Amino acid sequence: MPKVGILTFHRCINYGSYWQAHCLAEGLASMGVEAVLLEHTSDRVNRAEWRCALQPLLPAATPTEDYPLYKAKIRKFFRSFASLPLSSPFPLENPAAMDDYSLIVVGSDEVWNLRHPWYGGYPAFYGEGLRCRRLVSYAATFGSLASSERLEGWAEKLRKFSHISVRDLHSERIIRETLGLEAELVLDPCLQFPQMVKASRDDVDAATYIAVYGHSFPTWFQDAVCRWAGDRGYRLVSIGYRNDWAAEQWIDAGPEDFATFISGAKAVVTNFFHGCVFSLVKEKPFACVLSDYRSNKIRDLTRLVGADHHVLTEDTTPSHLDYILGNPLPMDISQRISSMRDTSNAYLSHALQ
């Protein structure tokens, strides 16, 4: 079978971005497809990405003692990037310099989010200038881009895609409203190919810590989680970012560390999309809270898999928090995921032909 290119955000210093790229490439390989991640390069993007990785909590300043930890985290990501199946490099601003492909898969991640702080507005993610005979998308999303933002001439570029799939209801609605097309709803690659999420070790037992993943949590959420964990003697351990309300910080964790860490947690509290995804992949109880930037994708993910009650609000009672964090995930969640996995597999089988 001819080689397939995957165009996504595979070099972000972000656990979810790394793992969705890894899982999609390895997942396609498991389907008999030789796939590579398209190695787009941009000095502008690199500077923005690395600046954010060193100062992720802006406008709050990074404590001086954290800089070496964030640098170590970046180096671990670089080592993981080197293990990915990558194409020959080409400038993101000049996709015509890339190799030729029979098929390019655009997605997953926020590839169509024009509001993305450094990737937004690059035409390549809308299929412009890509050297291929055919374009499809897999689990693409518009992210925080509002439906009312009409995308001007951008949406029309998507008509050149022979098959379109998205991972959230928000993006499905935008495609319908702007193009009059029905996009297929599919799973994020981490949920579609969970067997590709490899931890750094496999002998992790259920621990007495609660994984904290994200940053800039509202105070009421911090207080509720601290009370719940304190009453039960669980440690709160923050991964990837500093959260001073957690008892411990593991800032310099790499992507494989992250997978192991979630595997060993008693439960997960998060305000990140892939915090929810990995909780579902590893079948961990979780509680999440919406943020302005991530509200669309978290709300839609939990709605699609029947986990709406895992989204907390300021009115959430302590008894409800105890119920969702103190009990296994309901069986109907795994059943919905299994059903969507079948749909996603059917979409991929058809789109890759």
Side-chain angles (χ1 to χ4, degrees):
M1 180 177 288
K3 188 176 291 186
V4 171
I6 300 170
L7 183 63
T8 189
F9 301 162
H10 63 286
R11 281 192 174 272
C12 289
I13 312 300
N14 175 280
Y15 302 117
S17 291
Y18 169 81
W19 278 111
Q20 62 85 20
H22 173 98
C23 288
L24 185 54
E26 295 298 325
L28 293 185
S30 73
M31 298 176 69
V33 176
E34 184 181 0
V36 295
L37 292 154
L38 298 180
E39 179 72 318
H40 49 81
T41 63
S42 167
D43 290 340
R44 171 186 171 273
V45 167
N46 286 342
R47 285 193 298 270
E49 183 69 45
W50 300 340
R51 188 182 306 116
C52 180
L54 289 171
Q55 299 178 297
L57 308 183
L58 287 175
T62 297
T64 303
E65 64 270 24
D66 286 353
Y67 275 106
L69 299 173
Y70 283 120
K71 288 178 181 178
K73 175 184 173 183
I74 293 171
R75 288 193 293 271
K76 289 178 180 178
F77 268 87
F78 286 170
R79 288 196 291 271
S80 295
F81 294 154
S83 70
L84 294 171
L86 301 173
S87 75
S88 301
F90 63 92
L92 181 58
E93 294 82 1
N94 181 28
M98 69 188 297
D99 296 333
D100 290 312
Y101 294 86
S102 59
L103 175 68
I104 288 179
V105 180
V106 179
S108 150
D109 223 320
E110 299 180 25
V111 287
W112 295 335
N113 187 359
L114 299 176
R115 291 180 58 193
H116 190 283
W118 46 88
Y119 278 123
Y122 277 101
F125 295 106
Y126 279 74
E128 291 291 287
L130 300 182
R131 296 178 58 171
C132 61
R133 291 199 295 273
R134 197 160 60 88
L135 278 167
V136 303
S137 74
Y138 183 78
T141 177
F142 292 95
S144 59
L145 192 70
S147 299
S148 57
E149 299 174 43
R150 302 312 299 180
L151 293 165
E152 298 169 352
W154 287 91
E156 287 299 316
K157 300 179 187 298
L158 299 180
R159 291 193 182 278
K160 63 174 67 71
F161 284 67
S162 61
H163 297 83
I164 295 178
S165 71
V166 295
R167 72 183 188 192
D168 53 69
L169 297 163
H170 174 70
S171 297
E172 180 193 43
R173 185 165 53 252
I174 289 179
I175 292 291
R176 185 187 310 113
E177 291 175 353
T178 57
L179 298 178
L181 301 175
E182 293 297 326
E184 189 77 57
L185 270 171
V186 297
L187 287 174
D188 177 272
C190 301
L191 279 168
Q192 179 63 19
F193 301 108
Q195 70 275 21
M196 304 305 169
V197 179
K198 304 214 173 38
S200 57
R201 62 184 191 275
D202 297 322
D203 58 343
V204 180
D205 295 324
T208 56
Y209 66 86
I210 306 301
V212 178
Y213 179 47
H215 59 75
S216 308
F217 291 89
T219 302
W220 63 263
F221 183 85
Q222 300 176 30
D223 293 343
V225 170
C226 285
R227 281 194 300 271
W228 181 84
D231 289 346
R232 289 152 187 81
Y234 296 140
R235 292 175 297 135
L236 293 173
V237 184
S238 177
I239 190 165
Y241 306 95
R242 174 169 291 283
N243 283 286
D244 285 328
W245 52 281
E248 298 177 32
Q249 315 293 323
W250 190 8
I251 292 173
D252 61 343
E256 291 77 18
D257 295 328
F258 175 78
T260 300
F261 179 73
I262 300 298
S263 294
K266 187 75 174 179
V268 179
V269 293
T270 186
N271 61 355
F272 278 17
F273 174 78
H274 276 99
C276 300
V277 167
F278 265 73
S279 301
L280 295 167
V281 168
K282 299 298 183 181
E283 298 183 334
K284 298 293 177 178
F286 72 100
C288 62
V289 62
L290 301 180
S291 63
D292 289 341
Y293 188 79
R294 299 174 178 86
S295 60
N296 290 329
K297 49 190 182 180
I298 290 178
R299 183 185 294 113
D300 285 358
L301 170 67
T302 53
R303 183 179 302 166
L304 285 168
V305 302
D308 314 59
H309 57 295
H310 288 261
V311 181
L312 271 60
T313 69
E314 197 165 359
D315 298 326
T316 299
T317 63
S319 61
H320 181 73
L321 180 62
D322 183 46
Y323 175 77
I324 61 174
L325 289 182
N327 291 286
L329 294 179
M331 282 297 298
D332 63 336
I333 291 179
S334 62
Q335 290 168 356
R336 290 200 190 194
I337 292 173
S338 179
S339 177
M340 285 195 69
R341 192 171 289 137
D342 291 341
T343 300
S344 303
N345 186 63
Y347 169 83
L348 278 171
S349 297
H350 183 60
L352 293 171
Q353 290 179 355

